[in-house]
Amino acid sequence: MKRKITLKQIARELGVSISTVSKSLKDSDEISTDTKQKVQAFAKLYNYRPNNIALSLKNRRTKNIGVVIPDIVHHFFTTVFRGIEKYANEHGYNVVVCVSDESYEKEVFNMELLANGSIDGFIMSVSAETQQKNDFSHLKEVMEQGFPLVLFDRVIDEIECDKVVMNDEQIAYEATTKMIAEGRKRIALVTTESYFNVSEKRAEGYKRALKDHDIDYDEKLTLVLPFKGIEESYIEDFVKNVGFDGALCVNEIFAVLLMAMSQKKGLRVPEDISVIGFTDGLLSRYSTPTLTTVAQHGERMGEIAAKMLVEKLETEIGFHEEEVYSTEIIEATLIERGSTINK
């Protein structure tokens, strides 16, 4: 797709000022009829869509980057934000962060608020409810208004923009394969609803590892937990009623709770069960035993996302040129600790 035409580009093509273009599009009496017709015809030809929120503000640079994340408590998102801020500050940009709290409505509100002349572009990971609703019109709208967008971690295939993701499917495959190499035959998957694209990718890696090692997938070994409000009773019932000797958990909170519930039942970790979780946070390092985890390198992900956005903001291309988007893949690392058997 082509980058959306801006007032600045129209002005340069027609040899007039940005102010003249803006006033012409507003049909101002200050501008001659001939100039207004020329500007309006040109804008129509190239499908110019004004930012109705802040038409005049969009033509000045704020040197601010808007960041919208689903959760500020989660270790992964705090490390991504740290990486964004580090790169942005080093290159003369400030960062304005908003938290959607996994809410679609709050995500939309935050983006509208930031787009009101406050920022030059967006970096974001979409909320759970946005993925659940499958409604991405607010993302398309800010891009149509001329704001560059970089998505990280939870990305949307339908949105054409720059993206930074992790090799979720492959690292889940490797983590599951490690437990199989320990001799585990009944490996559980503790995950979230399938509309989370990252959880779905991890489930695919888990299932592929089982298949490649001639282990039948057993639906009873998959525990799906809600994304909001950890229900310890679900994990307790699972441990009590389902026999398993290994577990791949899509985050460290699920993993630590599963270990605690298993130990409460009298199971030993890692002698009786191996446990691997995603996110290498403080919980992983100080749990008993310490948790084998998938390090997602959130700070690196944040730095790359910020770099992609800053380069977009500082690269002026003509509206005749095709917009080029790229997807960067972060290679996760498996960190072995006490919850698995080191071989």
Side-chain angles (χ1 to χ4, degrees), residues 80-92:
V80 174
F81 177 71
R82 190 181 304 133
I84 293 171
E85 189 171 48
K86 178 183 176 183
Y87 186 92
N89 290 169
E90 288 173 352
H91 291 79

Side-chain angles (χ1 to χ4, degrees), residues 179 182 184 239 244-247 255-276 287-292 337-341:
M179 288 186 280
E182 295 176 11
R184 311 301 184 181
V239 170
F244 60 95
D245 54 15
V256 170
L257 282 173
L258 183 78
M259 284 200 302
M261 297 295 181
S262 299
Q263 290 167 328
K264 184 178 177 182
K265 186 186 175 186
L267 294 170
R268 298 168 301 162
V269 182
E271 292 84 358
D272 299 322
I273 60 169
S274 289
V275 181
I276 298 177
S287 61
T288 304
T290 54
L291 179 66
T292 294
R337 295 197 181 95
S339 66
T340 54
I341 298 171

